Amino acid sequence: MDKIVIQGGRKLEGEVEISGSKNAALPIMAASLLSAQSLVLSNVPDLKDIQTLSHLLEGMGVKIKNSFGTWKLQAKEIKDPHAPYDLVRTMRASILVLGPLLARTGRARVSLPGGCAIGARPIDRHLRGFEQMGAHIELQGGYVEAKAKKLKGAQILFEDVTVTGTENMMMAATLAIGTTILGNAAREPEVVDLANVLKQMGAKITGAGTDTITIEGVPLLHDAEYQIMADRIEAGTFLMGVCMTGGELTARGLSAEYLGALIAKLEEVGAHVEIQKEGIFIKAPSVIKNANVVTQPYPGFATDFQAQYMALMTLSSGVSLVTENIFENRYMHIAELARMGADIKLEGKTAIIQGVPHLIGAPVMATDLRAGASLVLAGLAAHGISEIHRVYHIDRGYEHIEKKFRKLGARIKRTKVKY
Ligand code: EPU
């Protein structure tokens, strides 16, 4: 197992190229199941979650070739529409194969994902949607067994917003008979990226990016080529890192419109941000002001920024409140940040953070992906040496994280843990 070792206290400075988006690439790769023809994808990030999904798809018969970030996926024939527990338990996004499998083959057997470190994360909204489209669903031995001779268009109103639920339903509806209308749909940019690929494959979709998406089913989808959007969560993580360490940087390759809520908040805490032709320029605040956030679905403040923002607020000049509204248990980083000298109390869904003059390096443990990122940022800003364990959580969603920070001037390296 690896650990990341950081000698903190160096300003981040320079330019960082933002990688392809994990949360756009995953549903888009799953969409390859919808057609017998090939899907060629560029800007696919080199991440553990991407490898996990490609193993899952290969197990079903999808032929996959990867050459320097450009992937060719072809599901000529789906031999086994089955997503086994061993792969699904390591990555909840595996549930994204359910819609495409059901639409293409009329059956699917997908392990229930179960809980994870950030909360219970049920899939009831996905399953209710498929039932409304005429699927017969049974839960047996920890698996979802789904069958549908042919899915039918339906009006599906999500009780609450779900990102992968919207994506799953949108993919399934592309091959259904008739029209599907998704109400209270997720508006995340990754949903729009998926809709764009599906449209290139011949799907008829309108309204992606709004809360009502209409999909008119077509008999077949065909080949397409597509470039995955850049990762807004990775970009935001770097922007917050600069605010914590001092310095200035330009994040290249991402449209700033996807970071509206975060950029507004970073300006509120004193950062100077400029949207330039080459990317997003940020200069760290001289004093980090305190400001509250509440996580919300897009275009609100993303839950995927909550942990990193909390790390930033540990160094603010006052008291700030961070309220997590999406995942009930996404607070595992609090205890780890406290090991580095942070002053945080949790009351229900709200963390109360009293800023401290500085953090102190310590051995800590990543408990999930974004919690891990928050510890890297804390380590970069802290006095002294930090060791971050369970780096595999971070590798699920950040491409070459230590190399990118090293290029910006950080003293950060990855080493093997000897037990
Ligand atoms: N929920 C239900 N029932 C459902 C579906 C969701 O109760 O059937 C609940 C969830 O438990 C959660 C809330 O609804 O409390 C929202 O969950 P959502 O379905 O939107 O989350 P997700 O689709 O499982 C995606 C991202 C997450 C990101 C969330 C919220 C992917 C692959 N994952 O998850 O990304 O935090 O949306 O924006 O797109 C990450 O990258 O670190 C990550 C966790």
Side-chain angles (χ1 to χ4, degrees):
M1 255 203 278
D2 293 350
K3 66 178 175 186
I4 285 180
V5 182
I6 304 171
Q7 165 83 57
R10 307 252 304 185
K11 283 185 180 172
L12 296 177
E13 234 131 17
E15 290 188 351
V16 60
E17 199 64 48
I18 300 306
S19 299
S21 159
K22 165 179 87 76
N23 289 350
L26 292 171
I28 290 173
M29 287 170 71
S32 67
L33 291 165
L34 287 165
S35 168
Q37 296 185 9
S38 64
L39 181 60
V40 177
L41 302 174
S42 55
N43 207 29
V44 178
D46 179 14
L47 298 172
K48 189 81 182 84
D49 273 9
I50 299 292
Q51 286 162 19
T52 305
L53 184 62
S54 67
H55 291 147
L56 186 61
L57 294 174
E58 278 172 333
M60 295 172 185
V62 183
K63 295 273 177 283
I64 302 182
K65 278 191 209 137
N66 165 19
S67 159
F68 304 105
T70 297
W71 292 55
K72 183 176 174 200
L73 300 98
Q74 188 163 14
K76 242 186 210 162
E77 199 192 338
I78 296 171
K79 295 193 186 98
D80 186 16
H82 167 216
Y85 174 71
D86 276 349
L87 287 173
V88 177
R89 78 185 162 84
T90 65
M91 190 185 65
R92 292 185 46 85
S94 311
I95 194 66
L96 284 164
V97 299
L98 183 54
L101 285 177
L102 204 48
R104 173 100 182 269
T105 69
R107 64 199 174 95
R109 184 167 187 270
V110 177
S111 169
L112 279 164
C116 69
I118 63 177
R121 299 182 80 179
I123 53 160
D124 53 313
R125 293 176 211 153
H126 301 235
L127 301 186
R128 241 186 337 266
F130 291 126
E131 278 175 340
Q132 281 182 264
M133 294 177 82
H136 176 76
I137 309 252
E138 273 179 39
L139 302 182
Q140 271 179 11
Y143 277 79
V144 178
E145 309 264 3
K147 283 195 192 108
K149 263 205 183 112
K150 191 74 194 165
L151 291 173
K152 294 184 196 75
Q155 293 222 9
I156 297 166
L157 179 63
F158 292 108
E159 181 187 309
D160 281 300
V161 173
T162 160
V163 177
T164 50
T166 301
E167 292 165 344
N168 230 342
M169 237 40 66
M170 186 164 70
M171 288 191 279
T174 59
L175 293 179
I177 297 172
T179 302
T180 300
I181 300 175
L182 304 179
N184 198 19
R187 291 179 283 167
E188 268 66 5
E190 294 77 15
V191 173
V192 180
D193 220 35
L194 171 64
N196 289 341
V197 182
L198 293 170
K199 285 196 267 188
Q200 284 212 16
M201 294 168 75
K204 293 196 176 153
I205 302 174
T206 54
T210 75
D211 64 1
T212 307
I213 304 178
T214 305
I215 308 113
E216 210 185 301
V218 294
L220 282 176
L221 294 180
H222 53 71
D223 60 326
E225 280 188 29
Y226 194 78
Q227 180 175 336
I228 307 282
M229 67 178 286
D231 197 311
R232 64 191 169 101
I233 308 300
E234 187 201 21
T237 302
F238 279 99
L239 299 186
M240 288 185 269
V242 170
C243 291
M244 290 180 72
T245 59
E248 50 187 60
L249 72 70
T250 305
R252 295 166 62 106
L254 176 87
S255 168
E257 68 175 298
Y258 302 135
L259 287 173
L262 178 71
I263 289 176
K265 198 48 75 177
L266 296 182
E267 286 177 330
E268 193 181 332
V269 306
H272 172 73
V273 181
E274 275 173 41
I275 313 307
Q276 301 175 339
K277 217 165 71 217
E278 12 353 311
I280 306 166
F281 170 82
I282 185 162
K283 185 170 188 298
S286 42
V287 174
I288 303 169
K289 294 185 209 147
N290 50 319
N292 304 342
V293 299
V294 177
T295 63
Q296 280 163 344
Y298 189 83
F301 191 94
T303 172
D304 291 344
F305 288 142
Q306 182 258 107
Q308 303 91 310
Y309 184 79
M310 196 184 297
L312 171 61
M313 284 300 99
T314 64
L315 294 175
S316 88
S317 56
V319 176
S320 50
L321 306 181
V322 171
T323 303
E324 173 56 62
N325 263 335
I326 310 290
F327 293 114
E328 70 279 8
N329 198 25
R330 203 169 204 181
Y331 281 127
M332 311 278 274
H333 41 284
I334 292 181
E336 301 302 305
L337 289 169
R339 292 172 60 79
M340 301 176 76
D343 180 352
I344 308 173
K345 284 185 197 69
L346 188 57
E347 281 187 11
K349 293 202 289 187
T350 300
I352 304 157
I353 306 128
Q354 167 72 64
V356 294
H358 55 256
L359 297 172
I360 300 160
V364 287
M365 194 167 75
T367 49
D368 66 76
L369 169 55
R370 308 302 170 189
S374 78
L375 298 176
V376 171
L377 299 190
L380 291 170
H383 292 184
I385 294 178
S386 296
E387 284 187 356
I388 295 147
H389 294 258
R390 302 209 177 158
V391 174
Y392 56 85
H393 285 296
I394 301 172
D395 292 337
R396 293 184 48 199
Y398 288 92
E399 190 176 50
H400 312 143
I401 189 165
E402 72 278 14
K403 284 193 193 131
K404 287 192 174 185
F405 276 120
R406 210 159 40 230
K407 200 168 154 242
L408 295 171
R411 286 211 184 107
I412 176 168
K413 64 179 182 189
R414 178 183 292 254
T415 59
K416 292 268 172 238
V417 181
K418 294 186 201 94
Y419 289 107

